[in-house]
Amino acid sequence: MFFSRLELDRDKSRALYLQVADHLRHRIESGELACDTRLPASRVLAKQLGVNRVTVVNAYAELEAEGLVTTKVGSGTYVTAANETSVHDDQTPMPVRLGGPPLRRHWNAGQMMNEMMRLARQPGVLSFAAGTPASEFIPVNEFRRAINDVLRRDGADALQYEEASGYFPLRQVIAEMLQDQDIEVKANDILITAGCQQAMDIALQVMARGKDNVLVVEEPCYLGLLDLLSSKRITPVGVPMDEHGMRVDQLEQIILRHRPSLIYSTPNFHNPTGISIPLERRMAMLEIAARYGVPILEDTTYDELYYESKPLPTLKSLDTNDIVFHAGGFSKTLVPGIRIGYLVAPQSLQERVVTTKQTTDILTSPLNQRALHAYLESGGFPDHLKMVRTAYQTRRDTMLAAMEQHFPDEARWQRPGGGIYLWVEMPQPGPTATELYLTAINYNVAFSIGSVFSAGGYFAHAMRLNFAGCPPDEIEEGIRRLGKAWKELLSRSNTLAEPRRVSLHIL
Amino acid sequence: MFFSRLELDRDKSRALYLQVADHLRHRIESGELACDTRLPASRVLAKQLGVNRVTVVNAYAELEAEGLVTTKVGSGTYVTAANETSVHDDQTPMPVRLGGPPLRRHWNAGQMMNEMMRLARQPGVLSFAAGTPASEFIPVNEFRRAINDVLRRDGADALQYEEASGYFPLRQVIAEMLQDQDIEVKANDILITAGCQQAMDIALQVMARGKDNVLVVEEPCYLGLLDLLSSKRITPVGVPMDEHGMRVDQLEQIILRHRPSLIYSTPNFHNPTGISIPLERRMAMLEIAARYGVPILEDTTYDELYYESKPLPTLKSLDTNDIVFHAGGFSKTLVPGIRIGYLVAPQSLQERVVTTKQTTDILTSPLNQRALHAYLESGGFPDHLKMVRTAYQTRRDTMLAAMEQHFPDEARWQRPGGGIYLWVEMPQPGPTATELYLTAINYNVAFSIGSVFSAGGYFAHAMRLNFAGCPPDEIEEGIRRLGKAWKELLSRSNTLAEPRRVSLHIL
């Protein structure tokens, strides 16, 4: 039998799922379970071992977090290629020239994100990898003034404890901003968080309180959300996207099959694809969510970064059933480093989100909240947004033009109406984004590989480029380098006698 | 049969434990299950319902979080007195005069904390309730200078994204501070967090990843930790304390019985009791923890607030097995509102704590981190600490003297060597802290009732007083008012013909 040797210690000196994971890890690392081996379905293995199916699901999740296996939606769990990131070491020696530790074999999404951040800061590298907005537009002096005004006005009050829900005048200003978007909301409905990421963390803590939670995500999906799910042992189930975003026609089946705790969606200028969802799909999504009582977590991080026309109404503004968590922030539009975001939860859950926020970190810095409030009250934000939109639009168009000029003819992309990302699809068959990444680093240019944005291990032939973070001349130079790396890689691939073993998933 | 009417929906449209909780809630709220009814042992009810015992444990935990039942360690789970907070409404009309919503019947610890915070801010109230340090010692001008220096020096870099682990120079300074306490630590071992609370949240996220987690806590215990456990569905199991802190002689039995994920302890100037643990008990705790492989989470929030002699060595400095999470911060000693704390995890878990931090809120405000670093580098912190220690020592002695003068003779307390709290035990039989609280509010004085600090529902006859937050004249006046309220309550109790129904647990 496949698992005849697995003896579990029922006395729980170590949790059962970890014992199962330990056993599988050992057999994968010893090579006994070869790359691409399909592991038994969780139900089957559970029966074989005489454990709850959930134990096996968790064991697989543990191994997936370690990069040892990959779950493909609707297909199964497979042993990940042990050497898929060492293509170059095996075949075409090409050491990474940058400082720091060598690239690791098994990375989870969080480690990948760290590596991207590290690369983005290496001197000489033009990086389109991170989700960083342009530093040159951060209104440093305005914030310095705001902080000084606040400390002069409020003194120690700005540095003491206060309500977990947030500084009331800031909540009022944010409520007014949301009211302008036709969201019916009062200051008391708003929870101030440490950035939009914490807003999502809190929504998850509130909604995914039981066990064996599943979350519906768009496929591909924001990396930080996938990583949050991984650290919380929540299983993401992807809904495919087309050029109009989430395939809402598949949502109902997925809900019926997986009974998710929550649906996560970025309807406007989606990360990583830049796609926006049309109105009728938004209505359909809300209708299905309401019918099955599954709340939606709406991520509005990029809503204010539109370049042609204003974004369509948010899900929250269309929500007549009070089932939408609305999360937003100021990191991409204004300033990442003061760490202020907000969450509007459904009414019945608002008390719980405040309690959760309080248990997590007591409150968000009252100084930073007051400084943001003072800045917003000064009236400069609308003009700042106009300026940023104009600049980012130019950068988008610069990058699109450079891609047109330098990328291989077979590459495909869309022109996003907002946000800060371009999503590029690479021809198949052909080198993967991982291979291109390792080549491009030698040309001192970096991007994000597509597979890190996937819940199901897809998008090995896609990449995400941040067009907003660098000035136009660097964009042109970076895309030129990337095009050159790409063409070099293609010509190298073509001269190989054998088709190369291709990495499918995580770097 | 007791639960003959409970039909569970096995199709899981709602989690089983919630279905069990729903059913019990209904029967409690309808009055069918009367106050003080002992619910069946989880094992018994699980058998009756044909569910896993864990399902029942979770259902009880849910109801406990809602304040509907109380678990007494070693005794069982009881329906909470439905009217225990409305003693006055029922018997001696005494409406709360303060603004805001009326006192609620069912509070969990988080709601209680919110209420304390709210009361602390009511005009005219002298509050010893919150854990707030004195506003007048927050070095506002020094921080303003530090922030301005940072923004002038670093510009937008201080407001951009950076590493999740924290601003490296700040980690270096904190490492040096810890090295001075004989902790072997390097800057890279330190994770910067949003206050000590987030350090503990992250340690819990990392250690309590499986299911049905149990955490060992001191009994009584820091409220914010209990609340964090409640929101994470982690069951606290209390170790009794004596005048030398945790009864380490009982730790082994508790570990064997409950197999906890972690032991939480505040060895120095414990909150709420002010007690410090002697060296031999620390060694014994470490030895037992290592023997059973249960890590310890050490909370050092109050370590620097010592008034006679320096605190004994931290658990981390004594730890030869690398099993201690060491959490600290600057909120009580320096400034709450910049929200900076730190976590030193065991080596093998350091990568995981950074990933967890990143998924939770990306990073702690780099501006605040740099401002704290600039402040610490300016060299003023040691003198600030000396000043605060002197002032708080005076306040402690002022409060002790006032208590001696104004409290009933039967009241008992210890003289803590540090921290900011006095723990007062009220005579039994006699009015509870809850009753005193409701009387004291009418005298415009507030404190924390003891039972909110209890994992097991104890300490109804205890209260915690923060002696650090108010200047000496307010301490004298507040304790005078509290003594007067207490004596009024005692004389009122004595004149009642019948002994009054006494609230045992949560307000």
Side-chain angles (χ1 to χ4, degrees):
Chain A
M1 292 292 288
F2 192 75
F3 288 94
S4 54
R5 282 165 309 162
L6 175 45
E7 284 184 17
L8 297 170
D9 168 19
R10 305 275 165 177
D11 283 348
K12 274 209 192 182
S13 67
R14 184 162 168 82
L16 277 180
Y17 79 93
L18 290 175
Q19 294 182 49
V20 176
D22 291 346
H23 177 84
L24 289 169
R25 185 185 307 106
H26 176 75
R27 292 177 67 180
I28 291 168
E29 292 185 337
S30 72
E32 189 184 336
L33 292 177
C35 162
D36 285 340
T37 304
R38 189 178 179 284
L39 295 179
S42 53
R43 235 172 266 281
V44 174
L45 181 54
K47 209 172 161 192
Q48 248 182 313
L49 299 175
V51 299
N52 196 306
R53 179 173 158 252
V54 167
T55 304
V56 177
V57 169
N58 277 324
Y60 286 4
E62 173 73 25
L63 295 171
E64 185 155 40
E66 296 170 13
L68 291 171
V69 305
T70 305
T71 302
K72 302 177 194 177
V73 173
S75 162
T77 300
Y78 294 83
V79 175
T80 307
N83 63 347
E84 68 182 15
T85 63
S86 43
V87 171
H88 292 292
D89 298 335
D90 297 340
Q91 309 196 359
T92 48
M94 187 176 287
V96 173
R97 284 193 321 227
L98 297 162
L103 291 171
R104 298 266 308 278
R105 278 166 73 183
H106 299 303
W107 278 354
N108 64 28
Q111 291 165 326
M112 183 67 200
M113 199 145 97
N114 279 332
E115 179 63 7
M116 287 176 196
M117 293 290 210
R118 186 175 75 80
L119 288 176
R121 273 187 297 274
Q122 297 283 338
V125 170
L126 294 174
S127 175
F128 308 122
T132 313
S135 288
E136 59 271 33
F137 302 137
I138 294 176
V140 178
N141 288 327
E142 288 78 353
F143 264 92
R144 180 158 63 193
R145 207 172 304 131
I147 290 169
N148 281 295
D149 288 351
V150 162
L151 285 174
R152 223 180 340 260
R153 184 192 66 198
D154 298 343
D157 286 353
L159 293 165
Q160 254 297 8
Y161 290 115
E162 63 185 7
E163 278 99 336
S165 48
Y167 180 57
F168 193 78
L170 176 62
R171 297 161 78 202
Q172 271 178 312
V173 171
I174 292 171
E176 285 161 20
M177 289 168 57
L178 297 180
Q179 285 157 12
D180 286 345
Q181 298 168 32
D182 292 324
I183 297 175
E184 277 182 41
V185 73
K186 300 178 304 300
N188 273 324
D189 301 324
I190 289 168
L191 171 71
I192 302 295
T193 59
C196 188
Q197 183 78 14
Q198 192 185 50
M200 300 199 278
D201 178 56
I202 289 171
L204 284 177
Q205 285 196 53
V206 167
M207 286 314 302
R209 287 167 72 91
K211 295 170 182 188
D212 314 322
N213 288 286
V214 167
L215 205 93
V216 170
V217 300
E218 284 142 349
E219 179 72 284
C221 171
Y222 164 49
L223 169 61
L225 194 279
L226 292 177
D227 210 30
L228 182 58
L229 297 182
S230 158
S231 92
K232 293 201 176 323
R233 308 284 166 121
I234 298 170
T235 307
V237 173
V239 188
M241 292 177 73
D242 61 19
E243 69 274 28
H244 301 300
M246 183 193 283
R247 288 279 307 272
V248 175
D249 58 322
Q250 300 196 9
L251 187 57
E252 185 166 12
Q253 279 310 310
I254 288 170
I255 289 176
L256 284 170
R257 188 159 155 204
H258 295 282
R259 303 205 170 270
S261 310
L262 197 63
I263 299 161
Y264 170 73
S265 178
T266 307
N268 295 317
F269 318 130
H270 172 262
N271 175 9
T273 65
I275 291 171
S276 295
I277 302 178
L279 193 59
E280 62 270 32
R281 281 203 191 175
R282 295 178 193 225
M283 303 301 289
M285 196 198 304
L286 284 163
E287 194 277 317
I288 294 167
R291 195 182 326 143
Y292 294 99
V294 183
I296 299 172
L297 169 57
E298 170 178 47
D299 181 350
T300 65
T301 297
Y302 303 97
D303 280 29
E304 289 297 325
L305 298 176
Y306 55 86
Y307 307 129
E308 273 86 26
S309 51
K310 282 199 174 194
L312 290 168
T314 59
L315 296 171
K316 189 76 186 169
S317 70
L318 299 167
D319 173 23
T320 53
N321 295 292
D322 204 22
I323 53 162
V324 174
F325 286 86
H326 181 90
F330 297 87
S331 294
K332 307 297 180 184
T333 51
L334 183 62
V335 50
I338 58 160
R339 309 304 306 129
I340 308 275
Y342 50 87
L343 178 66
V344 186
Q347 284 285 343
S348 61
L349 295 168
Q350 288 184 356
E351 193 174 321
R352 191 163 275 189
V353 301
V354 174
T355 304
T356 303
K357 163 68 182 171
Q358 186 162 33
T359 63
T360 301
D361 64 359
I362 313 285
L363 78 164
T364 293
S365 166
L367 175 62
N368 297 21
Q369 291 190 59
R370 283 162 203 245
L372 176 60
H373 171 256
Y375 171 81
L376 294 174
E377 281 290 272
S378 76
F381 192 41
D383 281 346
H384 169 84
L385 281 175
K386 268 184 214 151
M387 182 268 291
V388 170
R389 280 183 206 120
T390 306
Y392 286 178
Q393 181 172 17
T394 301
R395 291 174 183 205
R396 177 198 62 181
D397 295 340
T398 302
M399 188 174 277
L400 286 168
M403 283 160 49
E404 203 67 61
Q405 192 183 344
H406 298 293
F407 279 8
D409 290 342
E410 299 80 12
R412 292 284 170 270
W413 57 82
Q414 278 194 299
R415 176 192 177 89
I420 64 175
Y421 304 113
L422 285 169
W423 180 249
V424 179
E425 293 180 11
M426 302 166 67
Q428 298 187 54
T432 62
T434 301
E435 292 173 289
L436 179 53
Y437 181 81
L438 293 170
T439 306
I441 278 175
N442 292 284
Y443 286 85
N444 275 330
V445 60
F447 58 88
S448 287
I449 60 169
S451 51
V452 297
F453 304 100
S454 177
Y458 305 106
F459 311 115
H461 289 80
M463 58 178 153
R464 189 194 74 174
L465 301 165
N466 175 351
F467 59 76
C470 304
D473 58 330
E474 291 187 8
I475 291 174
E476 281 175 0
E477 172 61 15
I479 295 299
R480 195 188 61 76
R481 292 182 193 173
L482 184 51
K484 206 167 157 189
W486 199 342
K487 285 169 184 171
E488 182 212 295
L489 180 64
L490 285 173
S491 71
R492 194 145 41 83
S493 303
N494 291 338
T495 59
L496 287 175
E498 295 270 315
R500 306 241 317 268
R501 179 147 187 35
V502 157
S503 150
L504 278 175
H505 308 300
I506 225 103
L507 181 65
Chain B
M1 293 290 288
F2 193 75
F3 288 96
S4 53
R5 284 166 308 163
L6 175 45
E7 284 183 18
L8 298 170
D9 168 18
R10 306 275 164 174
D11 283 348
K12 273 209 193 182
S13 66
R14 185 163 169 82
L16 278 180
Y17 79 92
L18 289 175
Q19 293 182 48
V20 176
D22 292 345
H23 177 83
L24 290 169
R25 185 186 304 106
H26 176 75
R27 292 177 67 178
I28 291 168
E29 291 185 339
S30 71
E32 190 184 335
L33 292 177
C35 161
D36 285 340
T37 305
R38 189 177 179 285
L39 295 179
S42 54
R43 236 172 265 281
V44 174
L45 181 53
K47 208 170 162 192
Q48 247 181 315
L49 299 175
V51 299
N52 195 304
R53 181 172 156 253
V54 168
T55 304
V56 176
V57 169
N58 278 324
Y60 285 4
E62 174 72 25
L63 295 171
E64 185 156 38
E66 295 169 15
L68 291 171
V69 305
T70 305
T71 302
K72 303 177 196 176
V73 173
S75 162
T77 301
Y78 294 83
V79 175
T80 307
N83 63 348
E84 67 183 17
T85 63
S86 43
V87 171
H88 293 292
D89 299 335
D90 296 340
Q91 309 196 359
T92 47
M94 188 176 288
V96 172
R97 285 191 320 224
L98 298 163
L103 291 172
R104 298 266 309 278
R105 278 167 72 186
H106 299 306
W107 278 354
N108 61 28
Q111 290 164 328
M112 183 67 199
M113 200 146 95
N114 280 331
E115 179 63 7
M116 288 177 195
M117 293 292 211
R118 187 174 74 81
L119 289 175
R121 273 186 298 273
Q122 297 283 338
V125 170
L126 293 175
S127 174
F128 309 122
T132 312
S135 287
E136 59 270 34
F137 303 137
I138 295 175
V140 178
N141 287 326
E142 287 78 355
F143 264 92
R144 180 158 63 193
R145 206 172 304 132
I147 291 169
N148 281 296
D149 288 351
V150 163
L151 285 174
R152 223 181 337 263
R153 184 192 66 198
D154 298 343
D157 286 353
L159 294 164
Q160 254 299 6
Y161 291 113
E162 61 186 7
E163 279 99 336
S165 48
Y167 180 58
F168 193 78
L170 175 62
R171 297 161 77 201
Q172 271 178 313
V173 172
I174 292 171
E176 285 161 19
M177 290 167 57
L178 297 181
Q179 285 157 10
D180 286 346
Q181 298 167 33
D182 292 324
I183 297 175
E184 276 181 42
V185 73
K186 298 178 306 300
N188 272 323
D189 300 324
I190 289 167
L191 171 71
I192 302 296
T193 59
C196 187
Q197 183 78 14
Q198 191 186 51
M200 300 199 277
D201 178 54
I202 289 171
L204 284 177
Q205 284 194 55
V206 167
M207 285 315 301
R209 286 167 73 91
K211 296 172 180 187
D212 314 322
N213 287 288
V214 167
L215 206 93
V216 169
V217 300
E218 283 143 350
E219 179 73 283
C221 171
Y222 165 49
L223 169 60
L225 195 278
L226 292 177
D227 210 29
L228 182 58
L229 297 183
S230 158
S231 92
K232 292 201 178 319
R233 308 285 167 119
I234 299 170
T235 307
V237 172
V239 188
M241 291 176 73
D242 60 20
E243 70 274 27
H244 300 300
M246 182 194 284
R247 289 278 305 272
V248 176
D249 58 322
Q250 300 196 9
L251 187 56
E252 185 166 12
Q253 278 311 310
I254 288 171
I255 289 175
L256 285 171
R257 187 160 156 202
H258 296 283
R259 302 207 170 268
S261 309
L262 198 63
I263 299 161
Y264 170 73
S265 177
T266 307
N268 295 318
F269 319 130
H270 172 262
N271 175 9
T273 65
I275 290 171
S276 294
I277 302 178
L279 193 59
E280 63 270 31
R281 282 204 190 175
R282 296 180 192 224
M283 302 302 288
M285 196 197 305
L286 283 163
E287 194 276 316
I288 293 166
R291 196 184 325 146
Y292 293 99
V294 184
I296 299 173
L297 169 57
E298 169 177 49
D299 181 350
T300 65
T301 296
Y302 302 98
D303 279 28
E304 289 298 325
L305 297 177
Y306 55 85
Y307 307 128
E308 273 87 23
S309 49
K310 282 200 175 194
L312 289 168
T314 59
L315 296 171
K316 189 75 186 169
S317 71
L318 299 168
D319 174 23
T320 53
N321 294 293
D322 203 22
I323 54 162
V324 173
F325 286 85
H326 181 88
F330 297 87
S331 294
K332 307 298 180 186
T333 50
L334 183 62
V335 49
I338 59 160
R339 310 303 306 128
I340 308 275
Y342 51 87
L343 178 66
V344 185
Q347 284 285 343
S348 61
L349 295 168
Q350 287 184 357
E351 193 174 322
R352 190 163 276 190
V353 301
V354 174
T355 305
T356 303
K357 163 67 180 173
Q358 186 163 34
T359 63
T360 300
D361 65 358
I362 313 286
L363 77 165
T364 293
S365 167
L367 176 62
N368 297 19
Q369 291 190 60
R370 283 162 202 245
L372 176 61
H373 171 256
Y375 171 82
L376 294 174
E377 281 290 273
S378 76
F381 192 41
D383 282 345
H384 169 85
L385 281 175
K386 267 184 216 151
M387 182 267 291
V388 170
R389 280 184 206 120
T390 306
Y392 286 178
Q393 180 172 18
T394 302
R395 291 174 182 204
R396 177 198 63 181
D397 295 339
T398 302
M399 188 174 276
L400 286 168
M403 282 161 48
E404 203 67 61
Q405 189 183 347
H406 298 292
F407 278 7
D409 291 342
E410 300 80 10
R412 292 282 170 273
W413 56 83
Q414 279 194 298
R415 175 193 180 87
I420 64 175
Y421 304 113
L422 285 169
W423 179 251
V424 179
E425 293 180 13
M426 302 166 68
Q428 298 187 54
T432 62
T434 301
E435 292 174 288
L436 178 54
Y437 181 81
L438 293 169
T439 306
I441 278 175
N442 292 283
Y443 286 85
N444 276 330
V445 60
F447 58 87
S448 288
I449 61 169
S451 51
V452 299
F453 303 100
S454 177
Y458 305 107
F459 310 114
H461 289 80
M463 57 179 154
R464 189 194 74 174
L465 301 165
N466 174 351
F467 59 75
C470 305
D473 57 331
E474 291 187 8
I475 292 175
E476 279 174 2
E477 172 60 17
I479 295 300
R480 195 188 61 75
R481 291 182 194 174
L482 185 51
K484 206 167 157 188
W486 198 343
K487 285 168 185 170
E488 182 213 294
L489 181 64
L490 284 173
S491 70
R492 193 145 42 82
S493 302
N494 292 337
T495 60
L496 285 175
E498 294 268 315
R500 305 239 317 269
R501 180 151 185 33
V502 157
S503 149
L504 278 176
H505 308 300
I506 225 107
L507 181 65

